[in-house]
Amino acid sequence: MTTPRTQHLVLPGVLTAGQAAATVRGILGVQREDGAIPWFRGHHLDPWDHVEAAMALNTAGEHEAAERAYAWLARHQLPDGSWYAAYADGAHDDVTDRARETNFVAYAAVGVWHHYLCTGDDAFLDRMWPVVYAAVEFVLRLQQPGGQIGWKQEDDGTPVADALLTGCSSVHHALCCALAIAEQLEEPQPDWELAVGALRHAIRRHPERFLDKDRYSMDWYYPVLGGALTGAEAKERIEERWDRFVVPGLGVRCVTPNPWVTGGESAELALTLWSVGESDRALQVLQSIQHLRDDDSGLYWTGYVFEDDAVWPRELTAWTAGSLLLAVAALGGHEPTCTVFSADRLPRGLDADCCR
């Protein structure tokens, strides 16, 4: 195992160099030899969280381990361009959820672009382009006439037209990264440009096209984190629901009114705040969740029920640690991470606001 490079992962009140290295080692300890990164050993792997953990490894220079994670995706991509929603302990032949979720599938593009920006490895990008292309094409087959994207396809091939705002916001981010890859490879994709513009328009202007999940904090910040809302519009959205979801000194609620803060949502909100120029508040949010850190493993508990003073569930997940490292990397000026999570540095497709 190499020594992680952690100089940009040091953040006052959040991570020392030693703690950052321990967190990276914690994620590496979860990764299987075949490259799969389940939530924790014995739990399942889902493709989105697998990619999130791989991206975190890249922030610390663990490029070989991250590349093995992407090679796992390439080997086990289904003929239609998708992946199953869950694999027991990351075993490709032990599928526990045979649905194909669009935001899970699309997120591969975010990880691939991030890995390329971290390594400059043209051969990697060439190898992964067919994987990204097939994944995007699968996702766009579920796009609805209003621009929103159905959240999954059942195992029998039945598409589910219902759309999730959080999932579609993540897909928007992924499509922008896929367009960046296409530009780098000089493989223009005008249909993708139209699709991402229509999706962004639906997110910005048509909340009625999405299932009502307003109780969940991800529906609050993900339109900003995914780059669909920017500028003053993004800041207004953050301000209007701040008091509803943020618990000072403890983190971010997963769902209201439950007295439960979660590490993943808190780290993602911090990354969102960084993306709109609110680095001071981002730092405060990250500092507020240090009660979730397990010093023995370097990983983080999923959540904390503050009315009962109870860690719940009792699980230390690679993706929670991964989301924290990505937020810290952005605040620390790690250029590839800053590029991937800055809406103004990614292609945005065509603006559909004027025509729908």
Side-chain angles (χ1 to χ4, degrees), residues 1-7 9-10 15-28 60 62 293 297-298 325:
M1 186 180 294
T2 61
T3 300
R5 296 198 294 272
T6 58
Q7 62 270 20
L9 297 177
V10 175
L15 288 176
T16 65
Q19 287 174 327
T23 298
V24 174
R25 288 194 297 269
I27 297 173
L28 289 170
E62 294 289 343
R293 182 176 177 85
S297 66
L325 287 179

Side-chain angles (χ1 to χ4, degrees), residues 172-193:
H172 178 273
H173 182 207
L175 292 176
C176 292
C177 289
L179 284 172
I181 296 169
E183 285 189 5
Q184 179 66 28
L185 295 176
E186 298 183 350
E187 295 275 1
Q189 301 296 325
D191 290 345
W192 296 4
E193 294 180 4

